[in-house]
Amino acid sequence: MMLDIKIKNASDQQNICGIKNNNLKCIESILSCEISMRGDEIYVNANDEIIPLLEELFHTLEEVSILNYSITERDVTYIINQLIIT
């Protein structure tokens, strides 16, 4: 299934993607999905079961970014683990 996420603010897009898209690569690795970015939209190709998790993950990452916190791969991994636990 394809998930389309729109991130309006350019600095939030960069923060969520990470340096050289390392945050997106981290998400792909942990959740076994494919992520691509076009303009202000992030496209995720993933199994139906993890779509709600991915929606919550990107919502959380956007909220964190809005607070001007620099998001790292470690943060992404921590957030994913917390979402899986709950």
Side-chain angles (χ1 to χ4, degrees):
M1 178 176 206
M2 200 67 150
L3 175 63
D4 179 9
I5 301 156
K6 188 168 189 148
I7 308 293
K8 299 170 196 111
N9 185 298
S11 63
D12 290 336
Q13 291 171 11
Q14 291 174 338
N15 194 17
I16 290 169
C17 292
I19 297 169
K20 296 183 181 179
N21 290 333
N22 284 339
N23 292 345
L24 297 183
K25 291 174 188 173
C26 179
I27 296 167
E28 287 178 321
S29 175
I30 293 171
L31 297 177
S32 300
C33 60
E34 295 176 9
I35 303 174
S36 61
M37 182 97 180
R38 287 183 220 119
D40 62 352
E41 295 184 271
I42 298 172
Y43 298 94
V44 184
N45 187 7
N47 292 329
D48 291 346
E49 309 87 53
I50 65 167
I51 293 296
L53 173 71
L54 286 161
E55 289 174 326
E56 185 65 29
L57 171 63
F58 281 103
H59 175 73
T60 302
L61 291 172
E62 189 171 16
E63 286 181 343
V64 169
S65 184
I66 289 169
L67 297 173
N68 293 320
Y69 181 81
S70 181
I71 301 169
T72 66
E73 293 170 67
R74 184 177 179 192
D75 299 317
V76 170
T77 301
Y78 177 80
I79 293 167
I80 291 171
N81 286 331
Q82 291 304 305
L83 291 173
I84 290 171
I85 291 172
T86 55

